[in-house]
Amino acid sequence: MDSYFKEWAQRLEAIGDKNVSSMRLINWLVQGLGIETDIRFLKLDSLNLKQKNQIETGLLRLLKREPISKVLNQKDFYGRTFKTTHDTLDPRSDSETLIRAMLEHFKQECELQFIDFGTGTGCLLITLLLELPYAKGVAVDLSAKALAVARENAEHHGVDGRIQFCESNWCHSVTGIYDGIISNPPYITSHYPLDPSVAHFDPEMALFGGEDGLDAYRALFSQLRPLCHANTKVVVEIGFDQSKFVPAIAQKNGFKLLSMHRDDGNIIRALTFQCE
């Protein structure tokens, strides 16, 4: 292996994620920049100046604990690649639990209407529309910059003609009746000690849900009823310790809990509700 990559691997090892080796991280970076050769066989002298500069810039960003997804502006979700930026929460595998929970209730051949609150990259709504080819949806976010990213992802995946984009504070600018409502709202408590790779590079408004982490659920459930018919399914993501508190908020606003869904780490990650 080229000594250049060996030296960088050692530097990254000192500050890196124990679950991901520094060598693998560098390999992801290099291949994400379009260089297909494995770094075990890659010689720095074989690269042109632009490629060297791109790698150097990326490695410096990784050294500052910036996630590889932000460096490359892409993250995989449900087997597909989505653009992500500093204006959006990174798609995470835990959130795939919401997709599985929602798909339990709908058939591919049905014409359906979905709405996604706090859409960010749009990965939830776009994935639903790709899995349900006759469905349409509305992507809602308070951030115009996040909506721009969601629009790019929708265009990339060929579903932009089936999505409306709405800049709104939850339901304030939203109308219509929906078959499915999905949301990964901010649910981290304001005092929770986040890893720097999250705290410094994901938008605060997509992370923090107030002192107890439940502010977004209070706002959302208090506004949802006018958007629902009798069989509307509402699927929300929750934090690891919120499986008792969120159903209580939903019930106060006329929603009953139908089911809980565990992620791959066996943590209750998604809840499904319906109007009482």
Side-chain angles (χ1 to χ4, degrees):
M1 182 186 298
D2 195 293
S3 60
Y4 175 82
F5 295 114
K6 284 184 179 180
E7 291 172 7
W8 268 105
Q10 291 172 353
R11 295 176 69 182
L12 291 171
E13 200 74 44
I15 58 94
D17 185 345
K18 294 180 180 179
N19 295 317
V20 181
S21 74
S22 58
M23 297 302 299
R24 180 176 293 181
L25 199 60
I26 296 173
N27 214 39
W28 285 344
L29 172 66
V30 170
Q31 293 184 353
L33 293 171
I35 302 167
E36 296 182 0
T37 307
D38 190 291
I39 61 168
R40 292 174 297 174
F41 313 111
L42 183 62
K43 299 297 182 183
L44 191 65
D45 292 342
S46 68
L47 303 174
N48 60 42
L49 182 59
K50 180 181 179 181
Q51 290 172 323
K52 291 177 183 177
N53 288 338
Q54 287 178 323
I55 291 173
E56 183 86 8
T57 299
L59 290 170
L60 287 169
R61 291 171 69 178
L62 291 175
L63 196 62
K64 295 178 180 178
R65 303 288 298 277
E66 188 170 357
I68 186 70
S69 55
K70 299 300 189 189
V71 175
L72 296 175
N73 291 126
Q74 63 182 43
K75 185 75 179 289
D76 286 350
F77 181 82
Y78 215 77
R80 303 177 178 97
T81 301
F82 290 84
K83 178 178 180 179
T84 183
T85 72
H86 292 104
D87 298 307
T88 62
L89 189 72
D90 269 2
R92 288 170 169 81
S93 59
D94 291 345
S95 301
E96 294 180 2
T97 313
L98 279 73
I99 302 297
R100 294 191 290 269
M102 188 67 85
L103 291 177
E104 288 182 5
H105 299 280
F106 299 104
K107 297 179 179 180
Q108 281 194 329
E109 62 271 19
C110 295
E111 294 185 4
L112 302 162
Q113 293 287 340
F114 290 98
I115 189 165
D116 175 14
F117 287 100
T119 196
T121 63
C123 66
L124 292 175
L125 181 60
I126 291 168
T127 299
L128 284 175
L129 267 55
L130 289 168
E131 297 296 315
L132 299 166
Y134 296 102
K136 296 181 180 180
V138 179
V140 180
D141 207 291
L142 186 58
S143 166
K145 291 181 178 179
L147 284 174
V149 175
R151 189 184 299 273
E152 282 189 55
N153 281 323
E155 291 173 354
H156 175 74
H157 289 288
V159 296
D160 50 305
R162 293 156 57 198
I163 298 181
Q164 293 180 314
F165 299 88
C166 178
E167 185 178 343
S168 177
N169 185 5
W170 301 118
C171 305
H172 289 176
S173 303
V174 175
T175 58
I177 302 295
Y178 299 90
D179 302 294
I181 298 171
I182 196 166
S183 181
N184 177 14
Y187 55 71
I188 298 171
T189 59
S190 55
H191 56 271
Y192 188 83
L194 281 175
D195 186 279
S197 65
V198 176
H200 297 165
F201 300 104
D202 276 332
E204 285 190 11
M205 67 183 298
L207 293 171
F208 297 106
E211 187 67 23
D212 62 359
L214 300 171
D215 285 357
Y217 301 104
R218 296 186 184 99
L220 186 59
F221 278 106
S222 69
Q223 301 170 33
L224 278 184
R225 282 301 291 266
L227 307 181
C228 300
H229 56 66
N231 293 313
T232 297
K233 301 300 183 291
V234 180
V235 177
V236 297
E237 183 166 329
I238 63 169
F240 70 94
D241 58 350
Q242 296 174 329
S243 60
K244 294 182 180 179
F245 303 111
V246 175
I249 292 170
Q251 187 174 29
K252 287 181 181 178
N253 290 279
F255 291 87
K256 61 182 178 181
L257 178 66
L258 295 183
S259 55
M260 297 183 177
H261 307 265
R262 295 181 181 271
D263 61 23
D264 292 339
N266 203 35
I267 294 171
I268 297 173
R269 185 62 63 189
L271 304 178
T272 302
F273 297 93
Q274 187 172 301
C275 293
E276 289 186 315

